[in-house]
Amino acid sequence: MGTASYHPVSSSSPPLLRIIIFFLSLSTVLSQGMKNNQQQNINFREKEKQILDRILGTQYYDRRIRPAGANGTEGPAVVDVNLMFRSFPTISDNKMEYSTTITFREEWLDERLRFDDFRGKLKYLTLTDPDKVWMPDLFFSNEREGHFHNIIVPNVYVRIFPNGNVLYSIRISLTLSCPMNLKLYPLDRQMCSLLMISYGWTTEDLVFQWRKGDPVQVASNMHLPRFMLERYEADYCHSVTNTGAYSCLKVNLMFKREFSYYLIQIYIPCCMLVIVSWVSFWLDANAVPARVSLGVTTLLTMATQTTGINNSLPPVSYTKAIDVWTGVCLTFVFGALLEFALVNYASRSDAHREKLKKQRRQWEMERERERQAAFEAAAQAQAQVSDNRLDDGITTFAYMKSLPRLRGECPMAMDKRYEFHLAAGSGHHHSSCWRSWISKFPSRSKRIDVMSRIIFPVVFALFNFAYWGTYLFFENEDD
């Protein structure tokens, strides 16, 4: 019995060891899974609050102090700027200003705002109150009016990245001044600018620069009412005052005026009014009410349109292209009215001449009858004394010869002189084709109307060639 002893523990030790190892492995896996679940169940929103409370605490962060320069140096803080034009609601020629809505962004590095991103779980922190952090003191120097957008909530945010980068974005509407040169209006291009300058920090403390790669963007679906945004460019400028030099950025916007609107609203109606005023040249000279009404109506309409155009533009000291056009058109309409006054005067003068000619013809007929009566009386007297008184016959003949001269000059001589004058005038008129053609119209009033039908359209066509050739050339030169 002593040599054949029984050992229950040693005989069952391998299965027990395997069970112990199994439970140890299981507990290790369960503990690791619990740790992973705990990490996954971290409330990152709570962590964001804790990080913001820590980095923005008054004991650690003072928004009154600007960030350090590049690489933590004492140089100026560098702010990258970019913006996006979303719309241009109005471009006013009268006030020389334009309105725009932009999304404005600034980005800078503030190492005091660094934080742990939990292995990339926190990409950035977002603030809706920009007053919590230091902000660049940028302002728009050519601004006249401006406002923020607060519907439904204020359209502004600040993003803080783990490395300390700060992104500030806001949507604002601005009305900015834009000095315009309107000499070529409405065939002009206008260069408007958006100027951004530091208000208090000089270049020793703050420098603005354009963000690399597309610093200025324009919405693809943007449409302007009467202009076309031909091009835009980001540029730098300098602002030096008696308090120092300040960093400055500038955006140049080139607007080209859409000419089709003015062609339909101004140029074509003016041409039509001028052509309508020429209708009076085809009306009878005696149709005084019709011609006066037509001339006065077109003149007043043209003057009203000119006044409306000038009211939409600022009073400037130079002559604009539209002033030349409306002025010449108004002159043509006024000239058509004056032409009728000349025609009316010539018509009345022709009527007066015809009346005088009629009176002269009646007077000549009376003189002819008196001459015939005198000849008949002399012939009868000569027949009575011709038989025996030769001397008395000679006396009678002398008396007969002198009778017409007692009443005036010989009618036949006057007739011959008048016929010679007409023959000379006819030869003078037939000296050229133009005079030959114009002589077909007997009255001076008719000749004036016929000449006006040709002269007015020809001169207006020549003016159009000169006008469009000149101002289109200047437009290309301006481009």
Side-chain angles (χ1 to χ4, degrees):
M1 293 288 299
T3 59
S5 61
Y6 179 71
H7 301 282
V9 175
S10 59
S11 62
S12 60
S13 58
L16 181 60
L17 181 60
R18 287 194 296 268
I19 293 173
I20 293 173
I21 294 174
F22 172 75
F23 279 106
L24 289 175
S25 301
L26 182 60
S27 62
T28 303
V29 172
L30 291 176
S31 62
Q32 187 66 32
M34 292 177 63
K35 290 181 179 180
N36 292 336
N37 290 333
Q38 289 177 359
Q39 186 174 1
Q40 292 179 357
N41 292 331
I42 293 177
N43 188 348
F44 287 101
R45 303 290 80 79
E46 183 66 25
K47 290 295 182 182
E48 289 180 2
K49 176 182 179 304
Q50 294 175 4
I51 293 174
L52 290 174
D53 291 340
R54 180 178 59 83
I55 63 177
L56 298 179
T58 56
Q59 296 179 355
Y60 179 76
Y61 183 82
D62 190 349
R63 62 180 299 271
R64 298 173 297 177
I65 307 301
R66 70 169 180 86
N71 300 320
T73 62
E74 293 300 324
V78 178
V79 178
D80 294 333
V81 176
N82 72 95
L83 54 88
M84 179 178 184
F85 290 97
R86 296 191 173 274
S87 66
F88 292 94
T90 58
I91 300 177
S92 175
D93 301 313
N94 193 10
K95 297 181 180 180
M96 289 194 177
E97 63 184 20
Y98 71 99
S99 300
T100 181
T101 300
I102 64 173
T103 298
F104 178 75
R105 305 182 187 95
E106 294 176 310
E107 190 172 359
W108 65 92
L109 177 63
D110 193 342
E111 295 183 352
R112 298 173 295 176
L113 300 178
R114 293 176 181 270
F115 62 89
D116 183 15
D117 61 352
F118 291 90
R119 299 181 181 180
K121 297 296 183 179
L122 291 179
K123 294 183 179 180
Y124 53 80
L125 303 177
T126 301
L127 298 177
T128 57
D129 185 6
D131 294 334
K132 299 294 184 180
V133 297
W134 175 87
M135 294 292 300
D137 60 345
L138 180 143
F139 77 102
F140 302 96
S141 63
N142 59 335
E143 174 200 357
R144 291 184 177 177
E145 294 180 359
H147 67 272
F148 301 109
H149 293 264
N150 297 318
I151 303 204
I152 299 176
V153 295
N155 298 169
V156 58
Y157 68 80
V158 176
R159 288 179 180 175
I160 304 175
F161 294 86
N163 62 349
N165 277 337
V166 180
L167 173 63
Y168 171 71
S169 178
I170 187 172
R171 190 167 75 98
I172 53 179
S173 292
L174 300 170
T175 300
L176 305 125
S177 64
C178 178
M180 298 182 181
N181 186 349
L182 300 173
K183 288 184 178 180
L184 299 181
Y185 177 91
L187 300 168
D188 58 333
R189 290 177 172 85
Q190 299 299 335
M191 177 69 77
C192 296
S193 299
L194 175 62
L195 300 174
M196 297 165 286
I197 308 175
S198 174
Y199 189 81
W201 299 99
T202 63
T203 52
E204 297 178 356
D205 296 309
L206 180 62
V207 173
F208 292 113
Q209 67 180 18
W210 289 111
R211 181 183 178 182
K212 295 180 181 179
D214 252 355
V216 179
Q217 299 173 329
V218 176
S220 59
N221 59 347
M222 183 177 60
H223 297 283
L224 281 69
R226 287 184 294 176
F227 288 86
M228 178 182 67
L229 183 58
E230 197 170 44
R231 67 176 183 268
Y232 55 91
E233 59 182 1
D235 198 2
Y236 291 89
C237 52
H238 301 283
S239 176
V240 180
T241 66
N242 56 3
T243 58
Y246 299 90
S247 184
C248 176
L249 298 178
K250 177 171 65 172
V251 180
N252 295 323
L253 304 167
M254 177 64 75
F255 295 104
K256 181 181 179 181
R257 199 180 301 272
E258 292 287 356
F259 180 69
S260 58
Y261 169 82
Y262 300 92
L263 179 65
I264 297 174
Q265 296 294 327
I266 296 178
Y267 285 92
I268 292 179
C270 287
C271 285
M272 294 175 64
L273 286 174
V274 172
I275 295 173
V276 167
S277 68
W278 298 342
V279 174
S280 63
F281 304 155
W282 274 264
L283 298 179
D284 187 76
N286 296 324
V288 177
R291 297 188 68 163
V292 169
S293 301
L294 182 62
V296 172
T297 302
T298 53
L299 181 62
L300 293 178
T301 306
M302 190 68 215
T304 302
Q305 187 168 8
T306 303
T307 303
I309 296 171
N310 292 330
N311 289 338
S312 63
L313 296 173
V316 293
S317 59
Y318 48 82
T319 302
K320 304 180 288 293
I322 195 67
D323 294 336
V324 176
W325 175 264
T326 55
V328 171
C329 291
L330 188 62
T331 302
F332 271 93
V333 175
F334 184 68
L337 186 60
L338 290 183
E339 187 270 349
F340 169 66
L342 181 61
V343 166
N344 185 263
Y345 172 77
S347 177
R348 288 186 288 107
S349 178
D350 290 341
H352 183 67
R353 289 178 61 185
E354 289 295 329
K355 183 179 180 180
L356 292 179
K357 287 181 180 180
K358 185 177 180 181
Q359 292 178 353
R360 170 174 253 177
R361 285 194 296 267
Q362 292 178 355
W363 178 64
E364 289 177 353
M365 291 175 62
E366 291 177 357
R367 289 184 61 189
E368 182 67 21
R369 286 194 297 268
E370 291 178 358
R371 186 174 65 84
Q372 293 293 337
F375 272 112
E376 292 177 358
Q380 291 177 2
Q382 184 179 10
Q384 292 176 359
V385 298
S386 61
D387 294 337
N388 51 5
R389 294 184 179 180
L390 181 60
D391 294 337
D392 292 339
I394 295 173
T395 304
T396 303
F397 178 76
Y399 173 75
M400 291 168 58
K401 187 177 180 179
S402 62
L403 276 176
R405 297 183 181 179
L406 294 176
R407 298 292 300 274
E409 192 177 30
C410 179
M412 295 181 66
M414 293 183 63
D415 292 341
K416 290 181 179 181
R417 186 183 303 173
Y418 183 70
E419 291 174 1
F420 175 78
H421 177 71
L422 290 178
S426 176
H428 180 68
H429 283 302
H430 286 279
S431 61
S432 64
C433 294
W434 167 261
R435 293 180 180 179
S436 176
W437 176 73
I438 202 67
S439 63
K440 296 179 182 179
F441 304 98
S443 62
R444 290 185 300 172
S445 59
K446 188 65 176 179
R447 292 176 184 177
I448 295 173
D449 273 340
V450 172
M451 292 168 58
S452 299
R453 296 173 189 175
I454 300 174
I455 293 175
F456 273 74
V458 170
V459 175
F460 189 69
L462 293 176
F463 161 72
N464 273 270
F465 281 117
Y467 179 87
W468 296 113
T470 301
Y471 284 104
L472 289 178
F473 172 77
F474 283 139
E475 182 187 17
N476 295 331
E477 287 293 320
D478 182 63
D479 186 23

